[in-house]
Amino acid sequence: MLVISDVIRGFTDSIILAQLSKGDSYGYEINKTIQAITDGEFELKEATLYTAFRRLEADGCIISYWGNENTGARRRYYTITEEGRAVFKENLTDWNRAKEMINDLLNKEGL
Amino acid sequence: MLVISDVIRGFTDSIILAQLSKGDSYGYEINKTIQAITDGEFELKEATLYTAFRRLEADGCIISYWGNENTGARRRYYTITEEGRAVFKENLTDWNRAKEMINDLLNKEGL
DNA sequence: TTATATACATTGACAGGTGAGGTATAGTTA
DNA sequence: TAACTATACCTCACCTGTCAATGTATATAA
């Protein structure tokens, strides 16, 4: 009932911003990094990933540009904006608060 | 962008099961308990709460019965089932795993 | 030449949260 | 006594995010 993707839901944007805050990257690489960090336990579905990029760009959190690879598949790179950094910072705070709340709600005795 | 409700999404069921695992209760009381535990920082919206009850009962995680109050508003009580306890136990495990994953994804350096 | 890896993108179905609205009882306050 | 607040339940329509399925294109390895 509680699937891992439901838990992650709502963090997609934050996870992407977290990766981009370390430097420019592109979809495929970001997803590989996520898999590496979670020991292959988690990956963003492609549809989810690219939907998130559109959303983040529309919200002014990231900017995209095409890489100039002269071989292999083309890559669309993303840069995090100042706005994006601010949002990410806020998300981190929210996460830490939410984490405590959920811990309490799942474990603490009532009242 | 990261709203608390997005973070909580997917935890509604677990939070309710957590409260019911301590004993029978009814909607209004469960919500008050949640508010108390989170120092008023969080509450389930009524629509969310009652939708979750329907879902949990349909899934066999809880059973409901009407209380026999002879004064005040009527109350529909809920009992967690064995199935519900099993699901809750699994949810706790999933949460702990997801928590670590999200922490890593938001904080760890890439690779 | 067939398969795999890299790399991007869209669409339609589905699920969960929630604002807005509704019902009913009981106590408190103006 | 009228108005307000608290208790307590319920449903519908809408919105948002996830994801399976599908499609495109390049390059390398078997």
Side-chain angles (χ1 to χ4, degrees):
Chain A
M1 213 105 60
L2 181 80
V3 190
I4 208 77
S5 59
D6 280 326
V7 182
I8 279 4
R9 191 193 172 98
F11 290 102
T12 309
D13 292 3
S14 306
I15 290 169
I16 291 171
L17 290 177
Q19 302 318 309
L20 289 177
S21 73
K22 299 178 221 152
D24 290 14
S25 188
Y26 55 96
Y28 196 84
E29 189 181 52
I30 288 174
N31 219 7
K32 289 292 170 195
T33 304
I34 289 171
Q35 287 174 47
I37 291 176
T38 60
D39 293 320
E41 278 199 87
F42 181 63
E43 61 166 346
L44 288 174
K45 299 300 179 299
E46 291 196 1
T48 305
L49 185 69
Y50 292 110
T51 300
F53 282 140
R54 300 291 158 273
R55 186 169 53 237
L56 285 165
E57 190 153 28
D59 289 339
C61 290
I62 60 175
I63 286 170
S64 70
Y65 59 94
W66 286 101
N68 56 346
E69 287 72 33
N70 37 23
T71 180
R74 77 221 158 122
R75 297 170 179 169
R76 187 199 280 273
Y77 285 86
Y78 296 94
T79 307
I80 189 169
T81 63
E82 276 314 305
E83 164 78 5
R85 285 185 196 280
V87 167
F88 174 55
K89 196 178 165 189
E90 209 180 329
N91 286 2
L92 261 181
T93 308
D94 286 353
W95 159 241
N96 285 308
R97 211 161 56 91
K99 188 169 56 179
E100 292 311 314
M101 270 178 41
I102 295 169
N103 269 333
D104 289 348
L105 287 170
L106 297 186
N107 299 307
K108 229 182 221 172
E109 287 305 309
L111 181 70
Chain B
M1 211 104 62
L2 181 78
V3 189
I4 207 75
S5 59
D6 280 327
V7 182
I8 273 13
R9 192 194 170 97
F11 290 103
T12 311
D13 292 4
S14 305
I15 290 169
I16 291 171
L17 291 177
Q19 302 317 310
L20 289 177
S21 73
K22 300 178 220 151
D24 289 14
S25 188
Y26 54 98
Y28 197 84
E29 188 182 52
I30 288 174
N31 220 7
K32 288 293 169 195
T33 304
I34 289 171
Q35 286 175 48
I37 292 176
T38 60
D39 293 319
E41 279 199 87
F42 181 63
E43 62 166 346
L44 287 175
K45 300 296 180 301
E46 290 196 4
T48 305
L49 186 69
Y50 292 109
T51 301
F53 283 141
R54 300 290 157 274
R55 187 169 53 237
L56 285 166
E57 189 152 29
D59 289 339
C61 290
I62 60 175
I63 286 170
S64 69
Y65 60 92
W66 286 103
N68 55 347
E69 287 72 33
N70 35 23
T71 180
R74 78 221 157 121
R75 298 171 178 168
R76 187 199 280 273
Y77 285 86
Y78 296 94
T79 307
I80 189 168
T81 63
E82 275 314 305
E83 164 79 4
R85 286 186 195 279
V87 167
F88 175 54
K89 195 178 165 189
E90 209 180 329
N91 286 3
L92 261 181
T93 308
D94 285 353
W95 159 241
N96 286 307
R97 209 159 58 90
K99 187 171 56 179
E100 292 311 314
M101 269 178 42
I102 296 170
N103 270 333
D104 289 348
L105 288 170
L106 297 186
N107 299 308
K108 230 181 221 172
E109 288 304 308
L111 178 71

